[in-house]
Amino acid sequence: MSTEAPHRHALSGPAMGSRWSAVFHAGGDVDEAALTHRLQGAVERVEQQMSTWRPESDLERLNAAPVGAWVQIPRELAHVLATALEIGRLSQGAFDIGVGDLVQAWGFGGGARVPDGGRIAAIAGRPSFEPPKTLQLDPAGCRARRLAPLRLDLSGIAKGFGVDELAREMTAAGLSSWLVGIDGEMRAEGTKPDGRPWTIAHEKPTPGEREILGVLEL
C-alpha cells in the first residue's frame, strides 16, 4: 500500500455556456487526461439532451414537435423533466419549466438580448403551465408530449443535474475527496486530507464587481 500523501488535482472544461471544474485529492498516479475526458463526456451528454442553445438537442426536438405528438427522449432527460414537474408541484408553480418563450421574449437565453414588448403581451394570454394538462410524461417508455404550445426551458435544473453527473464520474473513478461544480452549482464529497471541510466562496451581488461576501464550509 502506498504511503504517498494525496496530491491536489484541478481539472476544468467548457460546460453549458460556462465551465465545469473538479478539484480532488488523490495519489499522483491519477490519469488526469482520462478523467478529464470522462467528465467532459458527462457534461456533453447533459448538454446534448437539455440545452436550449442547441437546435438539435433532445429538449429542442421536444419543443419543435407538434402539440400532442409523443417524442422519444433519453432516460436522463425523462428523469429531469419528472423531477422538474415535482419541484413545480411542491413549489405551487413557483418553479416553472414552461417559460421558454417568455424567457426569450424578455431577452434572456439565445436570440435577441432586449425585451420584446409585443411578444411578452402575446404570451401573457397563453394557457398556464399545468402538467399533466400541458405536458405529459411516459417514464417507462421514455417519451413525452406537449399538450399546449409552450416552450420548455430546463435552465433552472439542468446544470444541477450536470453536477450530479460529474459527481457520478468522480465516484466511479474511485475518488473519495472532491469538489465539482458548474457555475454556482456545487457538490462535494469527503474532506480535505487534513480533515478540514471543503470551502466555497460566494460573491457579493454587485454588478461589475468580483468581491467575496463570505465563505461556506461544506
Side-chain angles (χ1 to χ4, degrees):
M1 179 180 298
S2 173
T3 58
E4 179 184 10
H7 296 283
R8 182 182 184 277
H9 302 258
L11 310 175
S12 66
M16 309 172 81
S18 183
R19 295 189 67 80
W20 63 264
S21 62
V23 180
F24 61 98
H25 294 277
D29 58 346
V30 172
D31 188 337
E32 290 193 355
L35 182 57
T36 298
H37 180 74
R38 291 177 59 171
L39 295 172
Q40 188 66 58
V43 171
E44 174 64 24
R45 288 192 298 274
V46 175
E47 190 158 10
Q48 182 56 40
Q49 292 185 29
M50 307 176 199
S51 174
T52 56
W53 294 80
R54 296 187 181 187
E56 75 282 5
S57 74
D58 295 293
L59 179 66
E60 288 303 289
R61 284 195 303 106
L62 178 58
N63 280 327
V67 171
W70 285 104
V71 177
Q72 291 294 137
I73 57 176
R75 176 180 55 82
E76 294 88 351
L77 176 55
H79 168 71
V80 171
L81 285 171
T83 302
L85 296 186
E86 177 64 8
I87 295 172
R89 183 187 68 81
L90 293 172
S91 66
Q92 298 182 339
F95 185 75
D96 183 351
I97 61 171
V99 296
D101 284 326
L102 196 57
V103 167
Q104 290 194 345
W106 275 98
F108 297 101
R113 307 303 295 175
V114 295
D116 184 332
R119 287 186 64 192
I120 294 170
I123 294 170
R126 289 187 183 180
S128 60
F129 186 61
E130 299 176 349
K133 295 180 181 179
T134 52
L135 177 66
Q136 187 175 3
L137 300 179
D138 175 16
C142 284
R143 59 180 189 162
R145 62 175 176 175
R146 297 176 305 128
L147 300 178
L150 297 172
R151 180 179 176 83
L152 304 174
D153 188 325
L154 295 175
S155 298
I157 192 172
K159 284 184 180 179
F161 181 75
V163 171
D164 288 344
E165 292 298 283
L166 290 177
R168 190 191 310 275
E169 291 293 344
M170 297 296 279
T171 300
L175 300 170
S176 59
S177 172
W178 45 259
L179 174 69
V180 296
I182 302 175
D183 273 353
E185 307 284 347
M186 310 293 293
R187 184 166 172 176
E189 178 71 21
T191 61
K192 297 178 182 180
D194 61 5
R196 292 183 300 165
W198 288 100
T199 57
I200 57 174
H202 55 106
E203 295 180 343
K204 291 183 177 180
T206 307
E209 296 184 12
R210 298 295 301 273
E211 186 176 354
I212 293 176
L213 176 64
V215 176
L216 302 175
E217 292 186 341
L218 306 183

